[in-house]
Amino acid sequence: MRLSVAAAISHGRVYRRFGLSPRSRLDLLRNLVTALVRHERIETPWARADEMRGYAERLIDYAKRGDKDERAMRMADFWLTEKDLIHKLFKVLAPRFQPHPGSYTRLLQIPNRDGLDRAKMAVIELKGNPLPPLVRPRRDSDKTLLNQLLKGYRQDAQRAAAARGTAV
Amino acid sequence: MSCFGCFSLSGYRVSSDGKPPKFQPPPKPVIIDRKTQKEERRFLSPEFIPPRGRTDPLKYYIERKDMIQRRKVFSIPEFYVGSVLAVTTADPYASDKSKRFVGICIQRGGKGLGATFVLRNVIEDQGVEICYELYSPRIQAIEVLKLEKRLDENLMYLRDALPEYSTFDVNMKPVPRMEHEEIPVNKVRMKPKPWSKRWERPKYNIKGIKFELPEHKMKAAQKWSQPWLEFDMLREYDTSKIEAKIRKEL
């Protein structure tokens, strides 16, 4: 009678396995979180970025609790290996994200890596960063049916307003 | 905290016929106790909080409605792990068709309608543990004989503790409590090793045992500690908002 699950089944497991051990997985993600807080936009394999996203957002939630909170300070001390970033986290990032309740990061996929492994890469960035935007929102072309109808409606409204203006 | 006593001055009135006035005892003072009216600290049974997962919250909502229905018919008192309870269940083969068992609650498991609690007692030098379902229709009565909280959520180590910590008198009287339950400071002493589980290891995180092991054994047990686990933020399950929503439903 088999009492434990077979070796290769991982139904419902949410945490990916990185590095040599659970400790090394956390160290890897910790380095990535530190890099994100320092540079505010980094390019890594997609799996690492996805895993790191949850930790980064929870870290910012802890930072929102404030400087004086003992637990928040201990978390920041563990997760940020470069100690000058703790100041940046509490004084710059926490006020920046104070109005938003969640989702402080943006994850976008990139063409695969150039090396031999062709790994799926992604860019993860904090919203509101000072760097130039990654995605430029493009307006729809003027020649689509909906846009033509809207343009006609706008012109009719302007003509009606002008006619009312001259009549009164 | 605030008590108002009204004292009447009838004793000082001069009576008409010159005799000293009949002694009238003052009316009893009215004590308004604000401590019992704390709204924020109301107890929410742990089986109401849904587990973390990807199931539809509708399932838990329907289950909660059924639980509330059952609670309206049969009152389930507030109790914690470590309190002494007496449970009467229906039994077709007993002479009065019911069975009574007294024991200390060592764990509360399960969520929703399948919530269970395990009671332990030592009867005639034999340890007995019975697992009851809170919402089972066979349960006729649950009385809390002694409401108590312990430092841990799971008292399985009582199996390896000295039997005096698990024996409770079957006919003991309920102990009345006025103030809020406190966590007792006295720790449990254990039988000599071997135990069923290595309770000194940090994986079990037990705070209620007084370990009498030598220092080097305690240090060797710390080798299995995982200090990074407390910083792993994604494992935390914050239930405050969920609890607030459930309280509103109740």
Side-chain angles (χ1 to χ4, degrees):
Chain A
M1 179 169 77
R2 217 191 291 176
L3 288 169
S4 60
V5 289
I9 298 180
S10 86
H11 289 167
R13 309 275 172 113
V14 283
Y15 304 115
R16 289 186 186 85
R17 300 160 85 177
F18 289 122
L20 317 153
S21 70
R23 172 90 219 210
S24 116
R25 166 183 172 268
L26 269 197
D27 285 338
L28 225 139
L29 296 174
R30 189 163 59 153
N31 289 338
L32 286 171
V33 167
T34 312
L36 180 70
V37 171
R38 164 153 262 148
H39 301 110
E40 302 201 17
R41 180 190 286 174
I42 54 176
E43 190 183 299
T44 64
W46 190 86
R48 293 183 192 184
D50 196 43
E51 198 80 3
M52 200 256 285
R53 204 175 173 196
Y55 287 105
E57 300 199 343
R58 294 245 173 159
L59 183 66
I60 297 181
D61 279 326
Y62 264 106
K64 275 197 199 174
R65 286 200 205 175
D67 215 351
K68 306 287 176 229
D69 196 30
E70 172 60 38
R71 199 164 150 73
M73 193 43 102
R74 280 182 67 222
M75 280 287 177
D77 186 48
F78 176 82
W79 278 95
L80 298 170
T81 47
E82 289 153 33
K83 301 306 164 191
D84 43 329
L85 293 176
I86 301 181
H87 178 267
K88 178 180 172 186
L89 175 75
F90 282 107
K91 300 288 181 212
V92 174
L93 296 180
R96 194 207 282 182
F97 294 119
Q98 198 68 44
H100 305 292
S103 100
Y104 317 115
T105 54
R106 194 177 286 131
L107 182 70
L108 299 160
Q109 200 185 339
I110 276 176
N112 289 354
R113 199 167 18 202
D114 288 331
L116 185 65
D117 63 351
R118 309 294 296 167
K120 178 177 179 185
M121 297 292 276
V123 137
I124 179 167
E125 64 166 7
L126 294 170
K127 291 187 183 167
N129 62 32
L131 307 161
L134 283 169
V135 178
R136 266 184 309 170
R138 295 166 54 123
R139 292 189 48 184
D140 286 339
S141 146
D142 235 2
K143 306 216 172 74
T144 57
L145 177 64
L146 186 58
N147 279 350
Q148 285 283 304
L149 293 171
L150 285 173
K151 193 165 137 190
Y153 174 76
R154 251 182 272 128
Q155 282 169 351
D156 286 341
Q158 275 165 4
R159 261 185 245 129
R164 237 184 294 124
T166 51
V168 170
Chain B
M1 263 197 339
S2 45
C3 51
F4 308 104
C6 324
F7 301 99
S8 63
L9 297 169
S10 54
Y12 298 101
R13 246 186 278 123
V14 178
S15 61
S16 47
D17 46 359
K19 278 197 283 203
K22 195 160 171 272
F23 174 70
Q24 269 148 12
K28 282 213 177 106
V30 176
I31 304 173
I32 300 173
D33 202 340
R34 296 275 147 89
K35 275 189 205 166
T36 48
Q37 286 163 15
K38 275 195 250 211
E39 278 304 316
E40 329 77 60
R41 290 265 298 269
R42 248 177 57 211
F43 172 71
L44 183 69
S45 223
E47 68 265 5
F48 279 97
I49 301 167
R52 214 176 162 190
R54 282 165 43 170
T55 44
D56 203 345
L58 180 69
K59 174 197 175 217
Y60 299 119
Y61 176 69
I62 297 175
E63 242 185 338
R64 255 176 277 139
K65 276 188 30 180
D66 286 341
M67 281 149 78
I68 296 170
Q69 272 279 354
R70 171 74 183 156
R71 276 182 183 237
K72 282 186 186 148
V73 175
F74 170 75
S75 78
I76 297 175
E78 161 195 354
F79 66 97
Y80 305 93
V81 170
S83 25
V84 183
L85 309 183
V87 171
T88 359
T89 36
D91 182 24
Y93 307 110
S95 47
D96 342 322
K97 304 278 180 259
S98 66
K99 270 206 292 216
R100 187 167 187 263
F101 185 72
V102 173
I104 182 171
C105 175
I106 49 177
Q107 87 167 11
R108 285 182 81 161
K111 300 278 179 204
L113 285 168
T116 57
F117 61 102
V118 180
L119 293 184
R120 177 183 166 83
N121 202 344
V122 169
I123 300 176
E124 290 175 17
D125 294 333
Q126 171 64 47
V128 176
E129 287 180 12
I130 305 189
C131 176
Y132 292 105
E133 286 182 16
L134 272 177
Y135 295 95
S136 159
R138 276 176 54 207
I139 296 187
Q140 288 162 348
I142 304 182
E143 311 146 31
V144 176
L145 299 176
K146 187 167 165 200
L147 186 63
E148 200 184 315
K149 232 190 203 179
R150 294 285 180 99
L151 292 162
D152 317 302
E153 280 179 1
N154 202 307
L155 298 181
M156 290 290 170
Y157 55 81
L158 285 180
R159 291 173 189 160
D160 295 317
L162 300 168
E164 66 206 20
Y165 293 101
S166 316
T167 31
F168 294 95
D169 183 24
V170 185
N171 307 317
M172 82 189 243
K173 296 281 181 290
V175 169
R177 302 198 62 98
M178 263 302 286
E179 64 301 345
H180 243 59
E181 43 325 291
E182 327 96 27
I183 298 170
V185 188
N186 48 326
K187 299 208 169 180
V188 170
R189 292 185 46 220
M190 307 289 280
K191 289 197 268 203
K193 273 194 146 195
W195 297 331
S196 60
K197 298 244 187 279
R198 296 169 206 252
W199 303 112
E200 75 275 8
R201 294 225 175 143
K203 166 175 153 191
Y204 297 107
N205 197 17
I206 290 183
K207 298 181 194 113
I209 302 186
K210 186 176 156 127
F211 291 109
E212 276 145 16
L213 300 167
E215 274 300 317
H216 67 269
K217 291 229 165 123
M218 299 297 290
K219 283 214 184 73
Q222 290 302 314
K223 203 164 67 158
W224 277 269
S225 74
Q226 298 173 316
W228 61 87
L229 261 193
E230 89 165 282
F231 295 109
D232 196 338
M233 295 189 272
L234 287 181
R235 282 181 210 266
E236 292 155 19
Y237 185 35
D238 186 23
T239 49
S240 50
K241 297 201 178 94
I242 305 173
E243 274 180 39
K245 261 194 259 181
I246 297 176
R247 267 178 231 263
K248 263 196 271 181
E249 276 178 37
L250 297 179

